[in-house]
Amino acid sequence: EVEATLGGTWHIYSVTQPPGGPLRTDISIADPNSVKLAGKFKPDEPPMKSVTDIYPGVTIEEHDDGVVWSAPIVVPSGFKDELKIEVAALVCQTGGSCMPADETLTAKYSGELEAPASVGTDSTSSEITVAELLADPASKTSSYQ
């Protein structure tokens, strides 16, 4: 999971923002190469959609207040290393003031995740949690299980 917490009138664009509009948010695993995404990052709530004269014919997809994107990952058996997550995004205020939010986040291993009884366990996959990307940019280290 990657969480973006936004304040006031700020918003961030979706991971599915269509081309021809503002910069879509891109989240990827930077390191190590042995860890792979097993699916796309999806938001905990769908983005708000709108149209504007600034980008004719393009639907704008954005998240206000905050969003948590999650994606399944596959890690090698016995993996206990740090993960580096790259986030490239554009955060904007209502009215047009924007700034890039390009970050490399670090997640540290904190133990095995217990699988629910109704789901089979797979020792090659795990879940990553990276805390509050934009709320506290000085805190770029979190843990994963």
Side-chain angles (χ1 to χ4, degrees), residues 8 34 72 74 99 142:
S34 61
V74 177
M99 66 180 195
S142 187

Side-chain angles (χ1 to χ4, degrees), residues 17-41:
Q17 172 61 51
L23 180 67
R24 91 175 57 198
T25 297
D26 183 49
I27 307 168
S28 60
I29 297 173
D31 191 57
N33 291 333
S34 61
V35 177
K36 304 292 182 202
L37 285 173
K40 294 181 179 182
F41 277 92

Side-chain angles (χ1 to χ4, degrees), residues 27-109:
I27 307 168
S28 60
I29 297 173
D31 191 57
N33 291 333
S34 61
V35 177
K36 304 292 182 202
L37 285 173
K40 294 181 179 182
F41 277 92
K42 296 182 180 179
D44 57 344
E45 294 198 21
M48 294 181 298
K49 296 182 179 184
S50 63
V51 292
T52 175
D53 293 340
I54 298 171
Y55 300 106
V58 178
T59 299
I60 306 303
E61 299 181 1
E62 58 194 18
H63 300 277
D64 289 339
D65 300 323
V67 60
V68 178
W69 289 287
S70 61
I73 62 172
V74 177
V75 300
S77 182
F79 182 83
K80 294 182 180 174
D81 298 327
E82 290 184 345
L83 292 177
K84 301 282 185 188
I85 308 296
E86 286 185 354
V87 179
L90 186 64
V91 292
C92 298
Q93 280 188 311
T94 303
S97 177
C98 296
M99 66 180 195
D102 298 335
E103 301 288 342
T104 300
L105 308 170
T106 301
K108 293 184 179 183
Y109 180 78

